[in-house]
Amino acid sequence: MEHPSSARQTHVLIIGYVWPEPRSSAASGHVMQLIDCFLEQGWQITFASAASEGEHKADLAGLGITEVAIELNDSSFDHFVSELQPDVVLFDQFLMEEQFGWRVEKHCPSAVRVLETCDLQSMRHTRHQMLKHLLKQDGERTDFGELFCAPDATLFQRMSVTDLAQRELASFYRSDLNLVVSDVEIDFLTTHFKVPAPLLHWCPLMVRDRPDSTRGFEERASFLCIGNFRHAPNWDAVFWLKHTLWPLIRQQLPTAQLHIYGAYTPPKATALHNPAQGFHIMNRAEDAWEVMSRARVSLAPLRFGAGIKGKVIDAMICGTPTVTTSIGAEAMHGDLPFPGAIANDARGIADAAVRLYTDQALWEQAQRAGGALLHQRFAHEHHAASLIERIEHLRDDLQSHRTANFTGAMLRHHQHKSTQYMAQWIEAKNKNV
């Protein structure tokens, strides 16, 4: 239902960590989905970023979006945002709120401040450190159930003492609304970090477009692994595949082929290319859905990470079952069956992959489960309407919302003072150079 206030003119400023490349990462894909939601409302959008433009950057101008290049630690942003006077400011990841939030607070105090969290970065970082610790103890370890299923209390203990978690959670409090892609993370934040529920909003990847039809079991061949190589969990998964998992799969399927696609493929990944072993490094996929639709099984052996997994969503869209870990499946299926298989040790992953690849009935069951999940958990219509309604409600009742968030007001006050002094010091130093 359309909100009564939706007819009013709304100007959104998005401050991007990067210029979005929706075909390169799920994070950029989610930003583009948010942009679609705003455009559907007829809202005016300005997208600003201090990042350099990548070769696969989305054509924002073609969508009627104003693009602005900004700089870090530069007072010219003050003039820009003061002139713009947006109604809503969306920070793409908490680092952007750290850099620009106090300037928005100073010049646009009545703008609704929304943080697109992408994933809980301190959770991903902590899990990575826990993995490194286990591998340091035993580099040949193949069972990671202890890590993947660590109690929340243990994870909180390790996270809470990190600088990253303290910075990230401070940013959450300073924002009026935090878009969290994982409902598991929302529960974790409210239960362990005691973040007030009114500051959080579940906004996962929102699926609208799907192929007209999906290929059947007999029309497909090979395994697939896909993911941006700049995302550390993806590189770790490929490394584990190469040295442990794929040899176990090839023992049972000697002619099996694995095609690995990923944007920004580094030399260390290219060096793993070995056609004789059926291990193919394919670089970036021009059409991810096309290559996903031709594969019979998607492998996503993630040993650390957070948020939800774009590769698993894409696999469901293409009707391709996925084999992953508890980390990869986290927040992906709720109480519904996972569209594939979950295992937490090397042998279990390999055996599950072989079963799905060879058992047509099991494969078709997983494909149907994926279709049900997309409809019940990731439908664009539901989440888009919920997001717009939440933002409009904040615009109508922003002062009382902020009054209830005293911790956020206190953190914004201290951020404004400290960063203002730092900015003045940097400018003075630059003038004296």
Side-chain angles (χ1 to χ4, degrees):
M1 179 180 296
E2 187 178 50
H3 190 278
S5 303
S6 62
R8 63 188 170 191
Q9 182 58 45
T10 300
H11 192 162
V12 181
L13 168 63
I14 301 175
I15 303 178
Y17 179 67
V18 296
W19 294 97
E21 296 185 11
R23 295 185 178 183
S24 297
S25 72
S28 282
H30 195 234
V31 170
M32 293 302 298
Q33 290 172 354
L34 298 177
I35 287 174
D36 285 344
C37 291
F38 301 154
L39 290 176
E40 287 174 350
Q41 298 298 308
W43 292 359
Q44 183 181 352
I45 301 175
T46 297
F47 194 103
S49 180
S52 57
E53 293 187 10
E55 59 180 309
H56 307 300
K57 170 182 168 292
D59 181 14
L60 299 178
L63 297 173
I65 297 169
T66 302
E67 300 179 5
V68 178
I70 55 177
E71 296 183 15
L72 300 175
N73 300 317
D74 192 304
S75 59
S76 64
F77 181 83
D78 292 15
H79 177 73
F80 159 69
V81 76
S82 181
E83 287 289 316
L84 193 67
Q85 284 298 309
D87 303 292
V88 178
V89 179
L90 176 72
F91 301 99
D92 174 24
Q93 303 189 32
F94 84 90
L95 293 172
M96 294 300 94
E97 190 280 333
E98 278 190 333
Q99 288 287 336
F100 298 102
W102 70 276
R103 296 185 187 274
V104 170
E105 171 78 5
K106 177 181 179 182
H107 298 287
C108 309
S110 61
V112 176
R113 303 152 57 93
V114 181
L115 176 61
E116 154 66 347
T117 66
C118 182
D119 64 8
L120 199 52
Q121 295 183 38
S122 52
M123 177 180 284
R124 168 161 42 91
H125 173 77
T126 299
R127 283 172 167 165
H128 195 184
Q129 298 310 306
M130 293 168 70
L131 172 64
K132 288 179 178 178
H133 178 72
L134 286 178
L135 292 176
K136 187 175 181 179
Q137 291 179 324
D138 179 9
E140 302 301 316
R141 189 185 189 101
T142 60
D143 187 342
F144 296 91
E146 172 190 346
L147 169 64
F148 300 160
C149 302
D152 283 353
T154 300
L155 186 58
F156 168 71
Q157 267 189 333
R158 302 202 177 201
M159 283 176 62
S160 61
V161 297
T162 66
D163 173 76
L164 186 60
Q166 292 165 14
R167 289 170 54 201
E168 188 171 28
L169 268 293
S171 183
F172 276 45
Y173 274 98
R174 287 192 299 262
S175 301
D176 296 314
L177 188 65
N178 298 275
L179 309 184
V180 185
V181 296
S182 163
D183 53 349
V184 171
E185 289 179 7
I186 287 180
D187 182 64
F188 188 86
L189 288 165
T190 55
T191 301
H192 295 280
F193 282 102
K194 309 301 180 185
V195 177
L199 296 182
L200 305 173
H201 182 76
W202 183 41
C203 186
L205 292 175
M206 297 175 278
V207 176
R208 175 165 49 190
D209 299 324
R210 297 178 63 179
D212 294 333
S213 61
T214 56
R215 293 181 174 90
F217 180 84
E218 295 291 350
E219 300 173 272
R220 298 169 179 250
S222 77
F223 292 87
L224 172 140
C225 179
I226 194 166
N228 188 328
F229 277 105
R230 287 182 176 174
H231 191 52
N234 292 336
W235 161 244
D236 178 76
V238 170
F239 185 85
W240 196 27
L241 269 168
K242 171 67 174 181
H243 296 289
T244 304
L245 304 175
W246 187 241
L248 292 175
I249 292 172
R250 288 273 286 192
Q251 284 177 6
Q252 300 181 61
L253 300 173
T255 62
Q257 305 294 308
L258 170 61
H259 298 99
I260 297 174
Y261 295 87
Y264 302 105
T265 308
K268 63 182 180 181
T270 304
L272 302 180
H273 182 69
N274 191 327
Q277 297 175 350
F279 199 90
H280 305 271
I281 302 294
M282 307 298 291
N283 298 316
R284 181 179 182 272
E286 289 300 321
D287 187 334
W289 284 3
E290 176 61 24
V291 298
M292 184 76 79
S293 295
R294 293 185 180 278
R296 186 175 290 177
V297 173
S298 175
L299 301 177
L302 298 169
R303 293 196 288 187
F304 67 99
I308 58 177
K309 319 306 180 295
K311 58 177 64 62
V312 179
I313 294 283
D314 283 341
M316 286 190 275
I317 290 172
C318 298
T320 308
T322 296
V323 178
T324 190
T325 64
S326 293
I327 295 292
E330 183 177 89
M332 295 307 304
H333 62 111
D335 296 327
L336 298 171
F338 183 77
I342 304 168
N344 291 327
D345 65 280
R347 175 59 68 181
I349 291 171
D351 289 348
V354 171
R355 280 196 302 273
L356 266 176
Y357 196 85
T358 56
D359 188 329
Q360 183 170 351
L362 185 65
W363 186 93
E364 290 174 346
Q365 180 182 4
Q367 188 182 67
R368 289 192 297 271
L373 263 177
L374 290 176
H375 175 71
Q376 297 185 44
R377 195 168 171 82
F378 299 104
H380 170 88
E381 294 79 7
H382 169 74
H383 292 292
S386 176
L387 172 63
I388 298 301
E389 182 178 3
R390 191 74 185 273
I391 292 174
E392 292 286 19
H393 178 73
L394 278 173
R395 291 186 66 188
D396 291 336
D397 198 28
L398 187 59
Q399 189 53 55
S400 62
H401 177 79
R402 287 180 174 173
T403 299
N405 179 22
F406 176 78
T407 300
M410 179 174 61
L411 289 169
R412 285 197 302 274
H413 170 79
H414 285 285
Q415 182 200 45
H416 174 78
K417 293 298 182 183
S418 61
T419 51
Q420 184 180 38
Y421 295 150
M422 178 60 71
Q424 291 171 349
W425 180 83
I426 290 172
E427 286 192 17
K429 184 173 182 293
N430 289 338
K431 288 179 181 177
N432 293 329
V433 171

